[in-house]
Amino acid sequence: MPPDPIGRRRDGRIDDAFAALNQHVPKKFREQKDWLFWIDVRGTGLDRFTSTTTAVGVTTTAAPLHGLQVNALMGLTYKAAPDFLVGVLGGYETFNYTEQDINGKLTGDGWTVGSYLGWKITPTLRYDAAVAYSAMGYDGVAGAAQGNFNGRRWHGMGTLLNASVSQTPPKCSSIAKQCRSFDRCA
C-alpha cells in the first residue's frame, strides 16, 4: 500500500473496514423521537428613567420604576402519530418591581400547569390548542400601605391555521415551535 500524504504507511484492512461501515449509513439519517422534553427560560428587566429639575435648577435623572421578572416553562411532548402530538407543561415565574415616587414595591411568584395538542389535519391545515392554570402570590407596599393577595387564572388558546393562504411559512405557536413537530413551522 502506498504511503499517505505525510509519509505513513496505511494498512488496507483498516481502511476497508471503515469503508464497509460508511456504505451502510444513510446520507441523511434523522432519528424519529416520540418523546421530547423541552425548557424555555426568559427574563426581562424594566428601568424607566425620568428627569427632574430641582428648585435650584439642577436636573437629576433617576429610575423611579424598575424591576425584574423571570419565567421558566418546561414540558414533555408525545408525538402520537406523524401528524398528532399532545403534551403537558409546568412553569414558575417570579418578579420584583419598585416604584420610587410612591415608595412602592410589588413582588410575587407562582406556578403554572397545563396541557396542549397539535394536529396537522392536512399538509396545509393545522390545529393547535392549549389550556393552563396559574396560581400567583403577590406582596405589595406603597408608602404606609401594604398588603398581599393571591391571583389565579386560566389560560386558553386555539388556532386553526391554513398554510396555503400565505406565501411565507406559517409561524408556529410557541409550544409547537419548541416541539419542532411540524415540518412547515418557521
Side-chain angles (χ1 to χ4, degrees):
M1 173 144 296
D4 68 4
I6 54 176
R8 294 179 297 193
R9 182 162 175 81
R10 300 181 75 178
D11 187 352
R13 290 178 294 150
I14 294 172
D15 290 338
D16 291 343
F18 281 113
L21 288 174
N22 287 337
Q23 291 175 358
H24 300 297
V25 176
K27 297 267 187 228
K28 289 189 177 184
F29 175 74
R30 185 173 164 192
E31 181 182 358
Q32 294 296 319
K33 297 180 181 180
D34 292 335
W35 292 95
L36 177 67
F37 176 74
W38 54 268
I39 297 175
D40 182 28
V41 178
R42 296 176 188 231
T44 187
L46 175 68
D47 278 325
R48 182 171 173 225
F49 289 98
T50 61
S51 296
T52 306
T53 304
T54 63
V56 292
V58 177
T59 302
T60 61
T61 303
L65 177 61
H66 57 89
L68 207 22
Q69 182 164 349
V70 177
N71 298 61
L73 196 62
M74 69 177 79
L76 183 63
T77 302
Y78 176 66
K79 193 169 182 182
D83 58 356
F84 189 78
L85 63 86
V86 294
V88 294
L89 61 94
Y92 177 77
E93 67 181 277
T94 183
F95 59 88
N96 183 344
Y97 293 103
T98 301
E99 170 59 55
Q100 293 175 344
D101 290 344
I102 61 170
N103 196 21
K105 186 171 191 169
L106 179 65
T107 61
D109 64 344
W111 51 266
T112 300
V113 294
S115 62
Y116 54 91
L117 67 87
W119 179 24
K120 192 175 188 183
I121 301 167
T122 68
T124 59
L125 187 63
R126 190 183 80 231
Y127 175 71
D128 298 331
V131 64
Y133 178 76
S134 296
M136 299 287 297
Y138 301 92
D139 294 312
V141 175
Q146 64 180 6
N148 56 12
F149 53 96
N150 294 322
R152 300 192 185 331
R153 60 187 179 230
W154 282 96
H155 313 271
M157 183 274 301
T159 305
L160 185 61
L161 179 67
N162 183 354
S164 65
V165 174
S166 170
Q167 295 289 65
T168 61
K171 299 288 183 193
C172 295
S173 67
S174 61
I175 292 170
K177 192 173 193 178
Q178 291 163 355
C179 296
R180 309 262 192 268
S181 297
F182 300 117
D183 58 355
R184 292 204 38 105
C185 294

